[in-house]
Amino acid sequence: MRIDSVKGYLEELGFIGVRDVLDHRAERAAKENWSYLEFLGHLLEDEVAAKRHRSLETRTRLARMPRDKTLDSFDFEAQPGVDEKLIRELATLSFIDRADNVCFLGPPGVGKTHLALAMATRALEEGYTAYFTTLDRLVSDLSKAERDGTLERRFRTYLKPRVLVLDEMGYLPLKPEGANILFQLVSRRYERGSILLTSNKSYGDWAGFLGDSIIAAAILDRLLHHSVTVNIRGDSYRTRNRRKAGLDRPPPAKGV
Ligand code: ADP
Ligand code: MG
């Protein structure tokens, strides 16, 4: 049997991972006297690893999220307002299997988006699907789809992923149609798929940016029924680093 024919069969079967390492593996097997079983085992291992890698790449591309916000790059010491134990517990991802939501609340710059993305990145690593958007982008996308008569189809983008990151709730006030779209989304994901959201507003202030206290109550009711809230207090990481670098000078003394 020629190695080229074997590679041809592997390609026909879609075993691209094995095809690419076959020369190298066959050489090592001969050199190290691998048993048939060992040889086969290593080849299958290579194929599984290549397949997982391709799946991760595809899911990461579809998730449309920045790739640099991970738990490893989050400095817990710099942000004592974050409950590290709770974050580590969330990182086990059991909340995804229960379709629970996680809400990161706090002032600007404390790491809400970073942590939400870090959780979604963990989810991608563990084989789940995810999607990242801001509330503003979600509402304008779905409003447009409603006008075009493609709302149902467009909704799938936000319903299918196991984890939906909904960033920046509360920065901009919503029009009534926006609040209605958010209500539909939260209801349809309720008990089906997790939402990771970030907001600079405490729940009591949601009626304000949603423009309607009844719809705010209906949204919060479903959102919070199975959920964990991560409240983050503290200084903005951005201004903290500026201060450390001595970029912010104290204001001049009075009378100068
Ligand atoms: P928020 O969403 O709360 O406004 P971000 O998560 O966007 O804040 O954080 C602002 C910037 O600071 C981002 O670049 C983020 O990666 C970084 N950052 C915030 N907190 C930390 C931290 N504890 N460790 C490392 N980087 C951080
Ligand atoms: Mg943010």
Side-chain angles (χ1 to χ4, degrees):
M1 175 79 69
R2 289 178 35 232
I3 196 149
D4 284 345
S5 339
V6 177
K7 284 184 184 171
Y9 292 135
L10 288 169
E11 190 158 324
E12 198 170 332
L13 289 166
F15 285 15
I16 311 296
V18 180
R19 185 203 59 188
D20 293 345
V21 297
L22 188 64
D23 295 290
H24 165 74
R25 283 294 189 203
E27 213 175 285
R28 265 193 71 189
K31 237 189 238 160
E32 296 173 20
N33 280 325
W34 286 353
S35 68
Y36 294 123
L37 196 63
E38 259 179 315
F39 181 53
L40 180 65
H42 281 302
L43 291 181
L44 293 178
E45 238 168 44
D46 293 335
E47 184 59 36
V48 167
K51 201 172 158 204
R52 283 195 189 141
H53 183 73
R54 283 200 303 274
S55 159
L56 177 62
E57 292 276 300
T58 309
R59 282 177 292 103
T60 305
R61 196 163 17 84
L62 292 174
R64 304 202 177 199
M65 24 183 262
R67 303 180 75 157
D68 56 333
K69 307 297 180 191
T70 60
L71 274 188
D72 285 344
S73 67
F74 192 84
D75 181 353
F76 284 94
E77 276 175 25
Q79 191 52 277
V82 171
D83 181 349
E84 181 173 355
K85 201 163 150 253
L86 175 60
I87 300 297
R88 301 271 175 218
E89 155 62 27
L90 289 171
T92 65
L93 305 181
S94 56
F95 73 91
I96 299 178
D97 294 325
R98 297 191 299 268
D100 288 359
N101 302 318
V102 184
C103 308
F104 298 88
L105 305 187
V110 292
K112 301 183 297 297
T113 303
H114 189 129
L115 286 171
L117 285 169
M119 289 302 154
T121 301
R122 281 280 303 122
L124 289 172
E125 284 164 5
E126 292 300 317
Y128 296 103
T129 49
Y131 193 77
F132 170 75
T133 189
T134 63
L135 178 62
D136 202 36
R137 279 212 320 260
L138 170 103
V139 165
S140 64
D141 183 39
L142 289 178
S143 305
K144 183 175 174 298
E146 192 160 34
R147 288 194 296 277
D148 299 345
T150 55
L151 186 62
E152 265 320 296
R153 187 149 50 83
R154 200 57 203 144
F155 242 117
R156 273 184 236 151
T157 306
Y158 305 102
L159 296 176
K160 262 185 95 182
R162 291 291 297 277
V163 173
L164 176 69
V165 182
L166 204 45
D167 199 21
E168 301 192 344
M169 312 247 317
Y171 280 107
L172 300 169
L174 286 188
K175 295 193 189 114
E177 61 172 28
N180 186 26
I181 281 174
L182 179 63
F183 172 71
Q184 281 190 55
L185 177 82
V186 170
S187 305
R188 292 176 72 172
R189 284 192 71 91
Y190 174 66
E191 294 187 339
R192 295 206 185 143
S194 299
I195 298 176
L196 299 178
L197 72 81
T198 78
S199 180
N200 63 333
K201 297 265 191 309
S202 58
Y203 299 129
D205 297 333
W206 279 34
F209 83 88
L210 291 172
D212 181 324
S213 59
I214 294 180
I215 209 158
I219 290 171
L220 286 169
D221 186 45
R222 285 158 183 78
L223 195 65
L224 303 183
H225 184 199
H226 308 289
S227 71
V228 175
T229 297
V230 182
N231 269 306
I232 309 174
R233 284 177 207 90
D235 286 344
S236 161
Y237 190 79
R238 298 183 188 102
T239 51
R240 185 196 120 96
N241 274 359
R242 279 164 55 94
R243 272 203 304 278
K244 259 175 62 183
L247 292 171
D248 287 346
R249 284 176 200 177
K254 268 204 181 118
V256 176

